[in-house]
Amino acid sequence: MIALLQQDPGAFLLAFTALAFSLALHEWGHAYAAFRFGDGTAKDQGRLTLNPLRHLDPLGTLLLLLVGFGWARPVPVNPLAFRAYRLGLFAVSVAGILLNLALAVLLALLVRGLLALDPLGVALTFQGEGKTPLGLLALAAFYASSVNLVLAVFNLLPIPPLDGAKILQSLLPLRWHPWLWRLEGYSWLSFLLLLTVLRGPVQEVLGFARRVFFGFFFG
């Protein structure tokens, strides 16, 4: 998205607003699903809201802008309060991912619609050879769609404390869960690995997901 800032600050502002909302939507999804399964921890702490200021993590947001993947401030969840522990753990973990994926699809469809309305203007705007209002809106929507796709795919990685690890945990034998929960205490190590050793492979996975996703809509 830094490239978008250099290309057009107005489109960057629109895309960054969508980014903030997307991060908030992801965490709201976790909070809402947890509440529906009987855990009011997030609600009691004011996290059952779409206000981005309640969810944004400064470092995670900055990394999303700079290196292409990041995170929001995790919603507090007490799985022991779920009415159905295993199902609740799965539903809460997958909720944010599904919301981001749905938003990615909707934004990609918006880009297709804008392209149909102003094909030349959108094409010239994307190529940096001109600007039209619909072209700038399409450019911002494209970047916002990409961000939501990245959030969905990145959080699917089975690495604690990402959602993918909890989705996998919900499917594993219950006798393993106490040990898996203890891994949450080493989240800092996971993020360190993601920013160093695993950075290249993760970016390859995310790049592949973008190519497949946008190839489907615009190929």
Side-chain angles (χ1 to χ4, degrees), residues 25-26 29-30 33 37 87-102 151-152 155-156 162-168 170:
L25 183 69
H26 182 97
H30 292 318
F37 273 88
L87 180 59
L89 181 59
F90 178 84
V92 170
S93 301
V94 80
I97 292 172
L98 291 178
L99 286 171
N100 284 134
L101 187 57
L151 287 172
N155 277 283
L156 269 174
L162 300 180
D163 300 329
K166 295 186 180 69
I167 293 172
L168 178 61
S170 72

Side-chain angles (χ1 to χ4, degrees), residues 43-65:
K43 181 177 183 297
D44 294 340
Q45 296 189 20
R47 300 294 300 280
L48 190 56
T49 175
L50 288 173
N51 179 1
L53 296 179
R54 301 292 297 174
H55 300 293
L56 293 184
D57 178 272
L59 177 60
T61 305
L62 180 62
L63 289 173
L64 191 56
L65 293 171

Side-chain angles (χ1 to χ4, degrees), residues 33-34 36-39 77-94 165-182 184:
R36 295 292 295 179
F37 273 88
D39 176 26
V77 173
N78 177 17
L80 297 179
F82 294 158
R83 284 188 290 271
Y85 169 77
R86 192 186 289 273
L87 180 59
L89 181 59
F90 178 84
V92 170
S93 301
V94 80
K166 295 186 180 69
I167 293 172
L168 178 61
Q169 181 177 339
S170 72
L171 305 174
L172 293 175
L174 292 177
R175 65 179 181 276
W176 295 6
H177 286 215
W179 177 77
L180 292 170
W181 284 120
R182 283 196 290 272
E184 295 284 315

Side-chain angles (χ1 to χ4, degrees), residues 103-144:
L103 193 53
V105 170
L106 290 174
L107 287 165
L109 290 174
L110 174 61
V111 176
R112 285 194 60 169
L114 294 169
L115 185 59
L117 289 173
D118 184 16
L120 180 60
V122 170
L124 290 176
T125 303
F126 271 67
Q127 294 166 10
E129 298 175 2
K131 295 178 183 178
T132 67
L134 292 184
L136 292 176
L137 181 58
L139 187 62
F142 175 82
Y143 273 91

Side-chain angles (χ1 to χ4, degrees), residues 189-201:
L189 180 58
S190 296
F191 289 129
L192 180 62
L193 290 173
L194 286 167
L195 293 174
T196 54
V197 178
L198 297 178
R199 178 177 172 180

Side-chain angles (χ1 to χ4, degrees), residues 104 108 142 145-146 149 209-219:
F142 175 82
S145 178
S146 180
L149 179 67
R210 279 192 289 259
R211 288 193 296 272
V212 171
F213 181 83
F214 291 113
F216 174 78
F217 283 99
F218 306 107

